[in-house]
Amino acid sequence: MKNFKALSAILLVSVFGFIGCQNEINSEQGQNPNTNSANSTTTNNLRRTSMHDGSFDDFLDGNSCSSIILPTTAVINGQRISIFSQFDYQQVIRILAQSNSNQDVITLQFPLSVRLSNYTEVVINNQNEFNALKTTCNQTEASSQDAISCMNINFPMTILTYSLNLQQTGSIIITSDQQLYAYMNSISSTELYQVSYPISITFTNGTTATLNSDAELQSSIRDCSSEEDAKAASAAKANQMRQILVDGSFKIESYLNAGVESANKYQGFALDFTNDSKVIATNALFTTINGTYETSSEIDVFLNLSFTGNADFNLLNNTWKVTNFTTTTISLQSSTNAAMTIVLKQI
């Protein structure tokens, strides 16, 4: 092995941080975390980070590995909609929200064009071809080779290159995800590269960070991907709980405030939740109290209740953290006062 001090000296005086001959590059590869090949972890990270992310229209196509190229036409729960731009997505979302069933029916009109994760555009001629596309996407996600969507690189960024064949250094300025993806897929077995740090990234929550090494890039991806997975799981739970609310009728089994039980205030009332975010409390005397509700999620699942016109029900106006739920029982805790809890039980 070459003398490490001599190697470090060469690195310090190198313009691009690469060694000027093939043997020295081969010695350096694997020791310097910023020297990468076509098969390195950083290459895979940058490839996945720069893929076309098709998850923004998943409510329409259910496929995060591709997106439908507009304009297109679809039948949403029996209503035919022409979608000319992303502004028209709101029409689709409104129609889906009107349904009281979780069995929404979306029929796409073929042929249609889609943009794949590698930025190519293909024509899908029928439902069978579309189903095959979704199957491929599921396999890609299962093998963790789908797009990393929890962070974006703030361009421009510079890639420093070295050709083992030519023993020549160079640099490339990258200005877009598509350009970065193309470069990461074109690296040959005779090329090495390093990212010119620092680089800036933005997470999906809007916060930014400065990264100074491949290790920091890997750590940021690992952390934000874990958080994204947790949020996705929480969102799925929120949707599941919302459907339980819509499908059933509930009573207030318990309302505790600092250990004092006050459920008797709501005795005889049935709470019915509608798919358009309304909640109606009625009793045998035909007393009706109107309210609204909203389910949301971050890492936890939340249920917001808002009633009007009744002092007892106004006490329920709060954002409640869902501590547990089944198909018959939903347990809630005030997000501002842990001593306040509610149990909703299906009638």
Side-chain angles (χ1 to χ4, degrees), residues 56 134 297:
F56 65 89
K134 294 178 70 172
S297 64

Side-chain angles (χ1 to χ4, degrees), residues 182-201:
Y183 176 77
M184 290 300 148
N185 277 280
S186 66
I187 301 170
S188 73
S189 60
T190 61
E191 292 178 272
L192 300 176
Y193 76 91
Q194 70 178 32
V195 177
S196 180
Y197 290 102
I199 63 172
S200 172
I201 61 171

Side-chain angles (χ1 to χ4, degrees), residues 65-347:
C65 300
S66 64
S67 61
I68 296 175
I69 298 173
L70 304 179
T72 192
T73 300
V75 178
I76 314 295
N77 290 341
Q79 298 187 49
R80 184 181 181 86
I81 298 294
S82 294
I83 306 169
F84 296 99
S85 71
Q86 292 189 18
F87 292 107
D88 296 322
Y89 287 159
Q90 291 303 317
Q91 296 183 58
V92 179
I93 294 172
R94 281 195 295 269
I95 293 172
L96 293 174
Q98 291 168 3
S99 172
N100 287 322
S101 169
N102 61 354
Q103 299 297 321
D104 294 304
V105 179
I106 299 176
T107 304
L108 300 172
Q109 179 176 290
F110 298 100
L112 56 80
S113 297
V114 300
R115 180 172 289 108
L116 303 178
S117 57
N118 64 1
Y119 294 93
T120 59
E121 297 179 5
V122 298
V123 176
I124 305 299
N125 294 293
N126 52 56
Q127 188 65 47
N128 287 337
E129 291 183 8
F130 193 75
N131 292 342
L133 191 68
K134 294 178 70 172
T135 298
T136 300
C137 182
N138 291 336
Q139 294 169 348
T140 300
E141 291 175 338
S143 61
S144 297
Q145 291 303 309
D146 54 322
I148 294 171
S149 57
C150 61
M151 56 170 275
N152 294 297
I153 295 173
N154 300 321
F155 298 102
M157 67 180 292
T158 300
I159 300 290
L160 309 176
T161 64
Y162 181 79
S163 170
L164 294 172
N165 283 343
L166 300 177
Q167 299 185 18
Q168 184 175 16
T169 59
S171 66
I172 300 172
I173 296 176
I174 305 292
T175 60
S176 68
D177 280 325
Q178 187 169 353
Q179 184 185 2
L180 178 59
Y181 181 82
Y183 176 77
M184 290 300 148
N185 277 280
S186 66
I187 301 170
S188 73
S189 60
T190 61
E191 292 178 272
L192 300 176
Y193 76 91
Q194 70 178 32
V195 177
S196 180
Y197 290 102
I199 63 172
S200 172
I201 61 171
T202 299
F203 297 104
T204 51
N205 63 6
T207 61
T208 61
T210 298
L211 307 182
N212 295 288
S213 67
D214 289 349
E216 290 185 11
L217 173 65
Q218 172 74 358
S219 177
S220 294
I221 289 173
R222 181 175 59 250
D223 292 345
C224 76
S225 293
S226 296
E227 183 177 355
E228 186 177 60
D229 290 343
K231 287 183 177 180
S234 182
K237 289 181 180 178
N239 289 334
Q240 182 184 2
M241 187 193 69
R242 181 185 178 90
Q243 197 60 48
I244 290 171
L245 289 171
V246 171
D247 289 344
S249 183
F250 290 82
K251 66 177 181 179
I252 298 177
E253 177 83 356
S254 173
Y255 174 44
L256 282 175
N257 188 354
V260 179
E261 178 62 75
S262 302
N264 62 307
K265 294 179 179 180
Y266 312 100
Q267 188 173 359
F269 278 94
L271 277 63
D272 289 308
F273 295 82
T274 69
N275 205 50
D276 57 352
S277 299
K278 295 177 183 177
V279 55
I280 304 168
T282 57
N283 64 10
L285 300 176
F286 303 103
T287 302
T288 300
I289 296 99
N290 294 309
T292 60
Y293 77 98
E294 181 181 1
T295 56
S296 61
S297 64
E298 282 294 327
I299 302 300
D300 294 308
V301 177
F302 298 94
L303 174 65
N304 179 273
L305 295 174
S306 179
F307 289 94
T308 57
N310 183 282
D312 288 334
F313 276 87
N314 288 350
L315 295 174
L316 305 180
N317 294 350
N318 204 334
T319 297
W320 303 88
K321 182 173 75 171
V322 180
T323 56
N324 187 51
F325 73 92
T326 67
T327 56
T328 58
T329 304
I330 298 174
S331 300
L332 309 170
Q333 181 183 62
S334 170
S335 61
T336 57
N337 182 0
M340 293 176 59
T341 62
I342 295 176
V343 177
L344 302 178
K345 189 172 182 62
Q346 191 167 144
I347 299 172

